[in-house]
Structure formats: C-alpha cells, structure tokens
Amino acid sequence: PIFNHKKELFSYELLFRGSLKNIFPEINGSAATSRLLSTSFMGLEFNQLSHGKSVFINFNEDLILREIPLLFPHDKVVIEILENVYPTDDVINKIKLFSENGYTIALDDFEYSPEYEPLIDLASIIKVDFRLLTLDEIDDLSERLSGRNLKFLAEKVETLEEYKAAI
C-alpha cells in the first residue's frame, strides 16, 4: 500500500516477488513485470485487485518501447519509470504517448540529472527513496523542481521520525 501524508490509503504498488521472501529475485526485469501483470490481471476484475485504487507498476525500457502499459486501464495504472531507464528519443516519445492517452507517469527512485528534464516534464509524480537520499538532498530536489505540477512520493519511510520528516 501507498499512504498519503494523512496516513490514508492512496494507492498500491504491485511488486514482483518470486517466493515468500520479500526480495526481488534474480530475474530479468521484463520477465518479472510480465509475470506480475499476467498473474495479477488474468481472471481478476481490476477493482478486485486494487480495491478501487490505482496501482503503481514498474516498467523498464523494454516494456516501455513495446508499449505494454497501453494494455491496461489508464485510469487505474500509474506507469512507474524505473531509475535505470535512460531518456532516449524513443523512450521520451513512448512516455509522451502514454501521457497523451491519460496515464499518470511516476519517476522511481529519482535523483536529478539534467538529461532527465524531458521525463520530468511528462511526469506527475516523483518518487524519492528515503533511504537513498539525505533530507538535504530531498529538500534540494524539491526546491529545484518547485513551480511544476508534481507530487512527491517518499518511499521506504520506515520510522515515525522519517514519516515526520517526509511530511
């Protein structure tokens, strides 16, 4: 689950896990997302899976270029662009296509670099890893991207102190 700053359920993130251990197994990212999508959506009413909320799903470059997100409802799926997806012209054009088709775009584990500006311009949500960046780095990022229509989502907030710092 993903909660808002009031600790209310905002959304879900679907994560691939190949076993009962809560870790990502050694598997190709495209295969992992494909298995996640097929086991999550085949035979299920979408609202059954998400309890009426949207779901964040990780998409790597291969799945983006193959336009796999278009197979799912734009009002229920948040396309989460993984941090290792480089913004080539082909990637930017596909993300633009998704955005034009009503999908919400989130940038995962985001760390600012100027070459990511085209993706920032298409994104609605910037996810920051609270364990990867310092509070100063998060503040700097927030300041750098202020004035844009972006929501920030803090992930890996594990303690009450981190929660208070995140809000």
Side-chain angles (χ1 to χ4, degrees), residues 31 37 47 109 146:
L37 294 172
N47 285 330
D109 290 342
S146 68

Side-chain angles (χ1 to χ4, degrees), residues 6 12 26 28-29 56 70 79 82 111 128 131 134 155 157 161 164:
K6 297 178 184 175
Y12 289 96
E26 295 295 322
N28 170 288
F56 283 63
L70 294 175
I79 300 171
L82 292 174
E111 293 185 60
V128 292
R131 300 288 165 125
T134 67
E155 60 181 343
V157 175
E161 292 78 21
K164 288 177 181 177

Side-chain angles (χ1 to χ4, degrees), residues 114-132:
E115 63 264 17
Y116 285 90
E117 282 290 334
L119 292 182
I120 296 168
D121 290 341
L122 295 168
S124 300
I125 299 170
I126 302 290
K127 290 181 70 180
V128 292
D129 186 328
F130 234 66
R131 300 288 165 125
L132 225 88

Side-chain angles (χ1 to χ4, degrees), residues 11-102:
S11 186
Y12 289 96
E13 181 171 8
L14 296 183
L15 300 169
F16 177 79
R17 298 296 182 255
S19 70
L20 294 177
K21 296 178 182 176
N22 191 23
I23 58 170
F24 185 80
E26 295 295 322
I27 186 173
N28 170 288
S30 293
T33 298
S34 297
R35 281 181 48 193
L36 169 83
L37 294 172
S38 65
T39 56
S40 296
F41 294 100
M42 301 306 164
L44 276 180
E45 168 69 30
F46 196 89
N47 285 330
Q48 227 181 332
L49 173 70
S50 65
H51 303 285
K53 301 290 184 183
S54 62
V55 294
F56 283 63
I57 300 173
N58 294 319
F59 290 95
N60 66 14
E61 182 176 353
D62 175 55
L63 297 174
I64 290 165
L65 294 177
R66 290 176 31 213
E67 300 182 3
I68 298 301
L70 294 175
L71 298 174
F72 301 95
H74 68 87
D75 58 333
K76 294 294 182 184
V77 169
V78 175
I79 300 171
E80 195 168 331
I81 309 301
L82 292 174
E83 63 275 9
N84 61 358
V85 174
Y86 190 78
T88 64
D89 288 343
D90 288 341
V91 166
I92 292 165
N93 288 333
K94 295 300 182 183
I95 302 301
K96 198 177 290 182
L97 172 69
F98 303 150
S99 180
E100 290 168 352
N101 278 277

Side-chain angles (χ1 to χ4, degrees), residues 117 120-121 123-124 126 139-152:
E117 282 290 334
I120 296 168
D121 290 341
S124 300
I126 302 290
D139 286 343
D140 288 346
L141 179 62
S142 177
E143 179 70 27
R144 177 185 296 274
L145 300 179
S146 68
R148 302 184 193 208
N149 191 22
L150 292 167
K151 291 182 183 177
F152 284 83

